[in-house]
Amino acid sequence: MDRMLRAEIVATVRQTVAEVMEGADEVWLSPEDVCKQFSMFTPEWLRRHGELLPREKVRIVLEDGTVKESRSWAYPKHKINRLIREGRLREIRTQ
């Protein structure tokens, strides 16, 4: 097996594992749990800059068309972990 083929196989396996982890096996964390899992993020940092991380709120559309939204954000653990591992959170620039 030549080096190029091996590198392609390794890249494909890594991408597939990441997709699985960030798909069905994703774990959603509360802001408090984010601070526990990733100690570089403090509650104050999340309050001020949380929009710089991937996050979601639950939205429910009622029968009358009214939209209700959860109060707090949920953060994807595996996706944040990948961003840290890839070094993409070392330097974040705000607009």
Side-chain angles (χ1 to χ4, degrees):
M1 179 181 318
D2 67 353
R3 288 184 185 198
M4 291 296 288
L5 178 59
R6 185 177 191 288
E8 286 179 35
I9 292 171
V10 169
T12 301
V13 169
R14 282 189 179 146
Q15 180 180 358
T16 303
V17 168
E19 288 171 3
V20 168
M21 293 297 289
E22 293 175 19
D25 287 344
E26 185 62 86
V27 175
W28 293 89
L29 303 173
S30 68
E32 296 80 20
D33 290 335
V34 170
C35 295
K36 289 176 187 172
Q37 285 283 320
F38 305 103
S39 59
M40 75 278 275
F41 301 122
T42 64
E44 178 65 17
W45 191 93
L46 281 180
R47 188 181 67 73
R48 289 180 162 200
H49 307 292
E51 73 278 356
L52 299 173
L53 294 177
R55 64 184 185 174
E56 296 284 332
K57 277 191 176 182
V58 175
R59 291 190 182 101
I60 299 171
V61 180
L62 302 176
E63 291 177 5
D64 65 358
T66 307
V67 177
K68 299 284 184 177
E69 191 171 75
S70 62
R71 291 185 195 184
S72 64
W73 293 97
Y75 296 84
K77 175 182 173 181
H78 297 304
K79 189 169 188 175
I80 293 171
N81 213 8
R82 179 179 52 81
L83 294 173
I84 292 169
R85 191 175 58 251
E86 292 174 352
R88 294 175 53 193
L89 297 180
R90 284 194 187 120
E91 185 174 313
I92 303 172
R93 299 195 186 272
T94 58
Q95 303 297 337

